C-alpha cells in the first residue's frame, strides 16, 4: 500500500512539491528524461545529494565475467552491463563561498515538475545558506526527441534579499563514484572506472571528453557548449583533465538580477569510429543544436509531443490517478524507443541501471504493441535491431545443436547474458515473441517493404528453430519439450501451451511470408519442402488440455502437480523466489506471472479455436488462485483477461497495479529504473482490456466493456495509415476516424465501416456475470 503520495495527481504533469531524500532515488527514475539514445536520470542539477547518478547511451556497456560454481558447455562466458557514461547534467553552485547543498542550510521551497506535454523537467527552489544568503534557483532540462544526440539545461540563479556572489561550475564528469553492484565481486571490479581517457578539451565555453571502455572497446564522446547571460561583471574560465572538463562562471548579483546558463550537451559512441571522428561527430551535433538554440529545442520538443499525443492519448473520466498514470506511462514508453534507432529497448529504458540495462522479451510482448499503434517507426527500429543481432542468434543456435536462430533471454548487444539457463536458454519463446511482433507490425502498418527486408528473415530463422527444437511422436503429434514459458516458476517443462501456440503461429506466419516473398525465401533457402514441414508441425502442435477439469494446462501435466501450500506462506515470504528454493517452486502449482492467461490474450482470433468465451472464463478462474504476481509483467495481462472474462472490478484493480508500479513504487525498486513493460501494460489494460481491442486477419476488432469506476474511456490508435478514435461510456461505443480512408472494423462481432465524415455509435451488450475468482492469500490486488 502507498502510505504517502510522493507526487500530486494532475492530468498532464508529475509534480513533487517538496524534496524528500527518502524517495530521492525513486524520483530520479520517475523524472528521468530520454529519447531512446541518450538517457539522463532525474538527478539534481548540482549533482548531490543523489540516489544513483545516471547518464546512459543506449548500447554502451562493459563486459564482466559471469559467475559459475560449476561451468558447463554452452554457458555464456561474460555478461554485459550498461555503464554510467560521461555526465553532462552537472551545474554546481556556490553561494558566497557556500556549496549549494540542500542537506545544509534551510530549504525554503523545492518543486520539480515533469511536463508530459512539453517533454521537460522543471525545477524551482529557494534556499538559505548556513551563512544566511538566500537564492532562488530555476532550471529546465530536456533530452531532445528531434536532435538525437542532444540534451540541454537552462539554469538560473537569483538572489532573494541581498547582494550575492555566485559561482556556477558547469561540468562534464566521467567515472563518477557509484554504489557497487550487488552479487559477484568480479563484476564490481570490472565495472569500477570502466572508461579510459583518450581526450580532454576546454576552450572558451566549449568542453569535450572522449573515453573508451576497457573491455568492450566502445568509444564515448561528450561535448558541451554554453550561453551565459548575466551582469557585466560576469566572468568565465575553463579547464579540463582526463575525467573532468569544467566551465566556471562567476558573478555578483543584486536582488532582481539573474545569472542564466544555457548548456547544450552532445553525445556519441561507436565501436569502430576513430577518436578524431567521434570528436567531430559531437562537435557537429553541438553546432546543429546551437543553430536551433534553447528556444528552438523547446519548440521542436513541444511540436513532436503534440503530434504524438494526437495519435496516442488515452482519456479516463472517473479516476484522476489513473489518468495521470497512463499519460506518464505513454510518455516514458515513447522516451524508451523514440530515437533508439536499431538499438534495444531495455527493460528499464534509459532510466536506471536495473537488470544491467538488458533487453528481454518484454520489448516485443509488451512494449511494441503500444509503439506499433502509436509510434510505428520506433517499433520498426526495435525489430531492425533484432535483425542486426541475427548472426549472434544463429551462432547460439549452432552451439545448442539447433537450426535457425536462438535469440538471447537477456542482452545488450545480441549475445546471451543470462548465467541461469533454466530461465535463460530454456525460455525459447523469445523467438516467437519477436515473430509475433513482426506479424503485428506488418498487419498494423501494411509495410510490405519492412516485411520483405526485415520480417521474412526473422520469421524464417525463428521457424527453423521451432522445427529443430520440437519433434513428432509416433502418432504424428508435434511436441516441444524441456522449455520455460513466461512463468519462471515452471521451468524446463514439456509442451508449454503459450510457447507451443506462439510457435505454431510463428511457423505458419513464416510459411505465409515466404509465399508472399518468393525471392527472399529463395535467398534464405526456405524451399517448398521446408515450408511444408513448418505447416505440418504447426497443424500437429500439441496443446495440453485437462478434459476432466475442462481447462488448458499451462504445460503438459501441470494440473496433476501438487498445489503450493499458500496457507502456510506468510505475507512476508513474497516474492517466493527470495524465500524458497527453485526446486520446490518448479514442481508445484504456483505461478510467478501470467502464462496460460497470457496465451489467451496474445493470439487474438488466431487462437479462437482453443479459447472461446466460456473456455477463457474457465481457464481464468483456474489460474487466478495460483498466480502470485512476483513479476511486474503480470498485473496488466490479468487486467486484460479479467475484463474479457467479465470481472471488471478486478480488472480495474489490476490496471491500477500496472499503472502505479513506479509512481507508487509498488515493488520498492523503482530506484533502479522504471518498469517500462508494466508502463506499456497500462495502455494494454485499458485499450485491450476495457476497449477489447484485438488486431487479427487484417481487421481491428473491439469488444468494449466499461467498468463502473470509469464514466468514460477514450483512446486513439493508428491502423493502416488511419487514425481511429474510440470513445466508451457505460452503454455505448463511438468510433470516429480522425484521418484516412474509410475503415472496416468489428464491434462485438458486428462489422462496421467508419469514415471521416461518418462516426459510428453502437450499444455495448450486457455483461455475462460469473462468480468472482479468488487470488492466493495475501496476493489480491489493492482494491480501488
Amino acid at each position: 500500500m502507498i502510505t504517502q503520495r510522493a507526487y500530486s495527481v494532475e492530468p498532464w504533469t508529475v509534480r513533487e512539491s517538496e524534496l524528500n531524500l527518502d524517495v530521492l532515488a525513486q524520483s530520479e527514475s520517475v523524472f528521468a528524461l530520454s529519447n531512446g539514445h541518450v538517457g539522463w536520470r532525474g538527478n539534481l542539477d548540482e549533482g548531490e545529494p543523489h540516489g544513483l547518478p545516471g547518464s546512459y547511451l543506449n548500447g554502451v556497456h562493459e563486459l564482466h565475467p559471469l559467475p559459475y560454481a560449476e561451468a558447463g558447455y554452452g554457458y555464456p562466458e561474460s555478461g554485459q552491463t550498461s555503464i554510467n557514461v560521461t555526465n553532462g547534467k552537472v551545474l554546481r553552485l556556490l553561494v558566497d563561498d557556500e556549496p549549494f547543498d540542500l542537506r545544509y542550510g534551510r530549504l525554503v521551497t523545492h518543486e520539480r515538475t515533469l511536463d508530459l506535454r512539453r517533454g521537460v523537467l522543471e525545477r524551482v527552489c529557494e534556499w538559505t545558506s548556513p551563512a544566511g544568503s538566500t537564492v532562488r534557483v530555476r532550471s529546465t532540462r530536456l533530452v531532445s526527441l528531434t536532435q538525437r544526440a542532444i540534451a540541454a539545461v537552462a539554469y538560473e540563479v537569483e538572489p532573494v534579499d541581498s547582494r550575492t556572489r555566485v559561482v556556477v561550475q558547469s561540468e562534464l564528469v566521467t567515472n563518477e563514484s557509484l554504489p557497487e553492484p550487488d552479487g559477484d565481486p568480479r563484476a564490481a571490479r570490472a565495472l569500477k572506472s570502466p572508461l579510459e581517457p583518450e581526450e580532454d578539451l576546454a576552450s572558451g565555453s566549449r568542453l569535450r571528453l572522449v573515453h573508451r571502455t576497457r573491455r568492450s572497446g566502445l568509444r564515448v564522446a561528450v561535448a558541451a557548449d554554453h550561453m551565459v547571460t548575466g551582469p557585466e561583471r560576469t566572468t568565465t574560465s575553463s579547464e579540463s583533465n582526463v575525467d573532468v572538463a569544467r566551465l566556471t562562471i562567476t558573478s555578483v548579483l543584486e536582488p532582481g538580477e539573474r545569472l542564466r546558463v544555457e548548456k547544450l550537451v552532445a553525445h556519441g559512441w561507436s565501436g569502430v569510429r576513430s577518436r578524431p571522428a567521434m570528436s567531430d561527430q559531437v562537435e557537429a551535433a553541438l553546432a546543429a543544436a546551437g543553430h536551433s538554440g534553447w528556444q528552438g529545442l523547446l519548440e521542436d520538443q513541444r511540436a513532436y509531443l503534440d503530434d504524438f499525443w494526437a495519435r496516442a492519448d488515452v482519456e479516463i473520466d472517473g479516476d484522476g490517478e489513473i489518468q495521470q498514470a497512463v499519460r506518464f506511462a505513454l510518455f516514458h514508453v515513447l522516451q524508451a524507443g523514440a530515437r533508439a534507432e536499431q538499438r534495444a529497448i531495455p527493460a528499464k529504458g534509459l532510466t536506471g541501471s536495473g537488470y544491467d540495462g538488458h533487453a528481454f522479451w518484454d520489448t516485443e510482448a509488451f512494449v511494441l504493441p503500444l509503439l506499433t499503434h502509436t509510434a510505428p517507426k520506433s517499433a520498426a527500429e526495435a525489430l531492425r535491431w533484432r535483425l542486426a543481432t541475427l548472426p549472434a542468434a544463429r551462432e547460439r543456435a549452432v552451439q545448442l545443436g539447433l537450426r535457425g536462430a536462438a535469440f538471447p533471454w537477456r542482452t545488450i548487444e545480441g549475445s546471451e547474458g543470462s548465467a541461469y539457463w533454466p530461465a535463460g536458454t530454456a525460455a525459447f519463446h523469445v523467438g516467437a515473441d519477436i515473430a509475433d511482433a513482426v506479424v503485428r507490425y506488418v498487419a498494423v502498418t501494411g509495410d510490405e517493404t519492412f516485411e520483405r527486408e526485415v520480417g521474412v528473415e526473422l520469421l524464417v530463422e525463428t521457424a527453423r528453430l521451432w522445427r529443430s527444437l520440437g519433434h513428432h511422436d509416433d502418432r504424428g503429434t508435434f511436441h516441444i519439450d524441456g522449455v520455460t514459458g513466461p512463468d519462471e516458476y515452471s521451468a524446463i517443462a514439456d509442451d508449454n501451451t503459450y510457447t507451443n501456440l506462439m510457435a505454431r503461429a510463428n511457423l505458419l506466419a513464416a510459411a505465409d511470408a515466404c509465399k508472399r516473398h518468393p525471392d527472399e525465401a529463395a535467398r534464405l533457402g526456405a524451399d517448398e519442402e521446408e515450408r511444408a514441414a513448418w505447416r505440418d508441425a504447426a497443424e500437429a502442435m500439441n496443446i495440453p488440455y485437462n478434459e476432466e477439469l475442462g481447462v488448458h494446462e499451462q504445460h503438459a501435466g501441470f494440473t496433476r502437480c501438487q498445489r503450493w501450500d499458500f496457507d502456510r506462506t506468510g505475507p512476508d515470504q513474497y516474492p517466493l523466489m527470495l524465500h524458497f528454493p527453485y526446486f520446490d517452486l518448479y514442481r508445484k502449482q504456483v505461478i510467478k506471472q501470467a502464462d496460460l492467461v497470457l496465451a489467451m490474450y496474445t493470439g487474438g482470433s488466431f487462437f479462437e479455436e482453443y479459447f472461446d468465451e466460456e473456455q477463457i472464463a474457465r481457464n481464468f478462474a483456474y489460474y487466478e488462485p495460483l498466480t502470485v504476481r512476483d513479476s511486474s509483467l503480470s498485473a496488466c495481462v490479468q487486467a486484460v483477461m479479467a475484463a474479457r472474462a467479465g470481472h471488471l472490478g478486478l480488472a480495474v484493480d489490476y490496471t491500477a497495479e500496472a499503472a502505479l508500479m513506479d509512481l507508487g513504487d509498488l515493488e520498492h525498486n523503482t530506484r533502479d529504473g522504471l518498469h517500462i513493460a508494466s508502463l506499456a501494460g497500462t495502455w494494454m489494460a485499458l485499450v485491450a482490456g476495457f476497449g477489447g481491442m484485438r488486431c487479427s486477419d487484417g481487421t481491428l476488432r473491439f469488444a468494449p466493456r466499461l467498468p463502473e469506476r470509469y464514466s468514460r474511456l477514450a483512446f486513439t490508435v493508428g491502423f493502416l495509415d488511419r487514425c481511429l478514435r474510440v470513445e466508451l461510456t457505460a452503454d455505448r461505443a463511438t468510433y470516429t476516424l480522425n484521418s484516412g480512408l474509410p475503415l472496416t472494423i468489428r464491434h462485438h462481432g458486428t462489422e462496421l465501416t467508419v469514415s471521416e465524415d461518418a462516426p459510428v455509435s453502437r450499444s455495448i451488450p450486457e455483461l455475462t456475470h460469473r462468480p468472482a475468482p479468488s487470488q492466493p492469500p495475501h496476493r489480491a490486488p489493492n482494491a480501488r
Side-chain angles (χ1 to χ4, degrees), residues 364-621:
E364 285 77 19
F366 294 84
V367 177
L368 293 196
L370 187 165
L371 291 177
T372 297
H373 284 285
T374 60
K377 289 183 181 178
S378 297
E381 290 299 305
L383 291 170
R384 289 182 189 277
W385 169 72
R386 286 292 192 184
L387 181 68
T389 68
L390 199 52
R394 287 192 181 107
E395 183 179 336
R396 181 65 169 158
V398 170
Q399 187 179 37
L400 298 174
L402 301 168
R403 296 190 67 218
F407 283 96
W409 174 241
R410 58 186 300 168
T411 190
I412 293 175
E413 44 73 45
S415 63
E416 179 61 77
S418 175
Y420 185 62
W421 66 270
T425 297
F428 287 100
H429 67 83
V430 64
D433 300 318
I434 293 167
D436 182 60
V438 168
V439 171
R440 181 189 304 107
Y441 174 80
V442 174
V444 171
T445 65
D447 190 343
E448 294 181 2
T449 300
F450 173 89
E451 183 178 51
R452 182 178 64 255
E453 296 179 351
V454 178
V456 174
E457 192 162 7
L458 288 172
L459 291 170
V460 165
E461 295 297 0
T462 47
R464 283 174 170 158
L465 179 82
W466 297 119
R467 186 60 189 84
S468 66
L469 183 63
H471 68 97
H472 290 278
D473 66 15
D474 54 8
R475 297 182 180 180
T477 305
F478 194 77
H479 301 273
I480 303 175
D481 296 333
V483 299
T484 301
D487 171 29
E488 295 160 19
Y489 287 171
S490 301
I492 321 301
D494 296 340
D495 287 328
N496 171 256
T497 295
Y498 174 87
T499 301
N500 283 17
L501 284 171
M502 294 290 284
R504 179 178 185 271
N506 189 167
L507 290 161
L508 294 175
D512 290 344
C514 286
K515 186 176 181 179
R516 288 190 296 273
H517 303 281
D519 291 346
E520 282 300 300
R523 181 180 68 84
L524 297 168
D527 58 24
E528 290 187 11
E529 182 178 355
E530 183 176 22
R531 302 200 300 267
W534 295 343
R535 292 189 185 277
D536 288 344
E539 297 302 335
M541 189 71 69
N542 186 46
I543 307 300
Y545 188 77
N546 186 314
E547 296 283 355
E548 183 177 347
L549 295 173
V551 298
H552 288 87
E553 295 198 290
Q554 181 167 289
H555 61 75
F558 179 83
T559 55
R560 71 161 183 77
C561 292
Q562 182 182 358
R563 287 203 169 206
W564 185 263
D565 191 347
F566 291 106
D567 291 336
R568 297 181 62 183
T569 305
D572 58 346
Q573 292 181 292
Y574 293 92
L576 297 179
M577 74 275 199
L578 299 183
H579 300 91
F580 298 93
Y582 274 113
F583 163 73
D584 207 18
L585 296 169
Y586 286 167
R587 62 196 187 94
K588 302 284 180 62
Q589 286 193 62
V590 58
I591 300 169
K592 180 181 181 182
Q593 64 203 74
D595 188 311
L596 188 283
V597 171
L598 176 61
M600 295 193 295
Y601 161 61
T602 304
S605 66
F606 196 79
F607 296 171
E608 281 185 351
E609 62 186 279
Y610 303 102
F611 307 124
D612 60 20
E613 296 298 327
E614 290 303 317
Q615 188 66 66
I616 287 172
R618 288 199 303 273
N619 285 345
F620 187 80

Side-chain angles (χ1 to χ4, degrees), residues 83-136:
I83 63 170
N84 185 36
V85 300
T86 301
N87 181 2
K89 300 188 294 290
V90 178
L91 289 146
R92 304 192 195 280
L93 173 63
L94 281 80
V95 178
D96 286 338
D97 301 327
E98 292 277 359
F100 182 93
D101 188 324
L102 303 180
R103 294 167 293 190
Y104 304 98
R106 183 170 69 91
L107 185 59
V108 182
T109 62
H110 193 277
E111 181 175 280
R112 290 192 288 174
T113 304
L114 179 65
D115 189 320
L116 305 175
R117 283 185 292 195
R118 295 169 55 227
V120 297
L121 175 64
E122 297 179 307
R123 177 190 183 207
V124 180
C125 67
E126 192 170 305
W127 176 78
T128 302
S129 74
S133 298
T134 301
V135 293
R136 185 176 297 114

